[in-house]
Amino acid sequence: MEKKSFGMLQEGTELSLYSFTNKNNMTMVLTDLGATLVKLLVPAKNGELKDVVLGYDTPQGYIDNTCFFGAVIGRSGNRIDKGRFVIDGKTYQMDINDNENNLHSGNDGFDKRKWNVGGVDEEKNSITFTLSSPDGDQGFPGNFRTSVTYTLTDDNEIILHYEASSDADTVANMTNHTYFNLAGHDSGSIEGQELQLFAEAFTPVRDSQAIPTGEIVPVAGTPMDFTAAKEIGRDIAADFEQMKFVGGYDHNYVLSNKTGVKKKMAEAYCKETGIVMEAFTDCCGVQFYAGNFITDQTGKDGAAYGKRHGFCLESQYYPNSINQEGFPSPLLKAGEKYDTVTSYRFSVK
């Protein structure tokens, strides 16, 4: 492990970068700001290393960023209708930061905070970031303590292990918001890259505010169908109401009706680099987001980023599940443990 300075926040808080490299020269670089994945250098078919995640060169880039590049999201990823939920008969109100709703827990999310380093295991190429969130933080009840452990294996897999507990019933739905581009973060559109999602249903949204209707609908016969691999952009402009609502793909795909069972959720492929990414999780859903709202901006190494220059596979509970009967519940009971694992494994073909 190599540690170096990543500068500081405006109030003087010092930040660091942590770099890990495996026996295949695959390298992951993380920062304690947002427990964020900053770089992921993956071997391509020609032996060249490609950085396959979008990000910034400075902390201020991440502070000003509205796309959540690479960050850990908490306490609750995705959208909550009207930013409001009820636990044990009491109503809790969160920030309204996305149309009329709450997105990714609000303006002062875990992605904007400095996490503590709880431990480093250089033999395992592993680091644990920890964070404490007091009762009332972001509108949530309970003193919430969480950690995320990143591990880089010699099988070219990065593993994210989330753990949390609370002293009051609360919502726990952590995720990671990395944007992948298997041709390289600076290569432009991801629409020509292939994706397969191991999900036969999705949760349609009501309108452009992207709150699910509560239904679970088969993907078969619709542009939402990725049960067989296809280019991300093949159907992205289809005359289909769900796509029009959110400008392309930004939907939750149903992997299971329960959590805790590891399964393959996705496989992506870039023919130019030969890089294959397989994704696994024990979560019940995955939000596939095709980067429809990435604004024109400058990323790492002066790269020009724009619309659909990266895609996200955010493992999580279904959106607004705290308010939706029939969806698996993200309620974390006081004294119980939240424990979930997602991983991304890379190879070439």
Side-chain angles (χ1 to χ4, degrees):
M1 192 271 291
E2 179 185 352
K3 177 183 177 182
K4 64 181 182 180
S5 173
F6 193 43
M8 60 181 60
L9 298 175
Q10 288 183 343
E11 66 269 24
T13 301
E14 293 186 2
L15 300 168
S16 298
L17 290 171
Y18 302 85
S19 178
F20 298 84
T21 301
N22 71 9
K23 68 179 184 181
N24 307 310
N25 291 321
M26 179 172 164
T27 298
M28 73 173 178
V29 181
L30 307 155
T31 178
D32 41 17
L33 175 61
T36 295
L37 179 61
V38 174
K39 290 184 180 181
L40 194 62
L41 298 168
V42 176
K45 63 183 178 183
N46 63 2
E48 181 185 1
L49 291 173
K50 287 286 186 180
D51 182 0
V52 297
V53 303
L54 276 60
Y56 298 104
D57 290 327
T58 67
Q60 198 60 43
Y62 289 99
I63 293 298
D64 296 338
N65 164 30
T66 59
C67 294
F68 306 94
F69 288 154
V72 168
I73 304 296
R75 300 183 191 186
S76 183
N78 220 306
R79 293 170 177 87
I80 293 179
D81 191 14
K82 304 294 189 295
R84 191 179 304 133
F85 60 90
V86 177
I87 295 178
D88 298 329
K90 182 176 179 180
T91 299
Y92 296 89
Q93 182 64 54
M94 308 166 69
D95 291 341
I96 302 301
N97 67 330
D98 183 65
N99 296 306
E100 299 172 4
N101 308 303
N102 177 275
L103 175 65
H104 297 329
S105 300
N107 297 316
D108 182 28
F110 288 3
D111 58 299
K112 306 296 187 191
R113 305 185 190 183
K114 180 181 178 179
W115 292 56
N116 297 311
V117 175
V120 174
D121 187 330
E122 295 198 44
E123 187 174 328
K124 291 184 177 180
N125 266 345
S126 175
I127 185 170
T128 299
F129 295 103
T130 66
L131 190 70
S132 293
S133 172
D135 180 46
D137 185 23
Q138 304 172 305
F140 292 106
N143 293 292
F144 185 81
R145 292 175 174 81
T146 187
S147 68
V148 57
T149 300
Y150 287 86
T151 302
L152 171 62
T153 76
D154 284 334
D155 293 325
N156 286 2
E157 186 171 24
I158 57 165
I159 302 170
L160 288 77
H161 182 192
Y162 306 88
E163 297 176 272
S165 62
S166 174
D167 60 4
D169 293 359
T170 193
V171 179
N173 184 21
M174 309 280 286
T175 192
N176 179 277
H177 214 300
T178 292
Y179 289 70
F180 295 99
N181 187 327
L182 302 185
H185 77 99
D186 55 355
S187 65
S189 174
I190 48 80
E191 291 183 50
Q193 295 172 33
E194 293 182 6
L195 180 68
Q196 183 177 11
L197 295 172
F198 295 86
E200 295 184 352
F202 76 109
T203 52
V205 297
R206 297 188 306 225
D207 52 31
S208 62
Q209 296 201 20
I211 300 295
T213 63
E215 301 167 282
I216 294 174
V217 173
V219 297
T222 77
M224 310 302 294
D225 191 347
F226 282 88
T227 53
K230 69 178 181 182
E231 290 189 352
I232 291 171
R234 192 184 82 180
D235 300 324
I236 208 163
D239 184 13
F240 187 70
E241 185 178 55
Q242 286 294 312
M243 309 281 281
K244 291 181 174 180
F245 280 152
V246 293
Y249 297 106
D250 190 7
H251 293 81
N252 169 68
Y253 281 75
V254 175
L255 302 171
S256 175
N257 61 2
K258 61 181 179 179
T259 62
V261 179
K262 182 181 177 182
K263 64 198 78 70
K264 188 173 183 178
M265 64 176 178
E267 181 170 325
Y269 170 64
C270 174
K271 58 182 178 293
E272 286 80 14
T273 61
I275 293 173
V276 177
M277 181 178 77
E278 299 170 276
F280 305 84
T281 190
D282 57 15
C283 293
C284 56
V286 57
Q287 186 84 5
F288 167 46
Y289 174 47
N292 310 314
F293 300 106
I294 301 175
T295 55
D296 290 342
Q297 58 189 286
T298 302
K300 290 181 293 188
D301 307 318
Y305 294 162
K307 181 178 180 178
R308 300 189 183 135
H309 282 201
F311 66 89
C312 303
L313 295 169
E314 305 159 65
S315 55
Q316 56 193 251
Y317 285 94
Y318 313 162
N320 195 41
S321 51
I322 188 63
N323 291 317
Q324 189 62 62
E325 289 186 20
F327 283 3
S329 175
L331 182 68
L332 177 66
K333 302 290 286 186
E336 294 186 355
K337 185 178 180 183
Y338 174 82
D339 192 320
T340 181
V341 176
T342 294
S343 66
Y344 304 90
R345 186 171 66 209
F346 296 85
S347 59
V348 294
K349 71 176 183 180

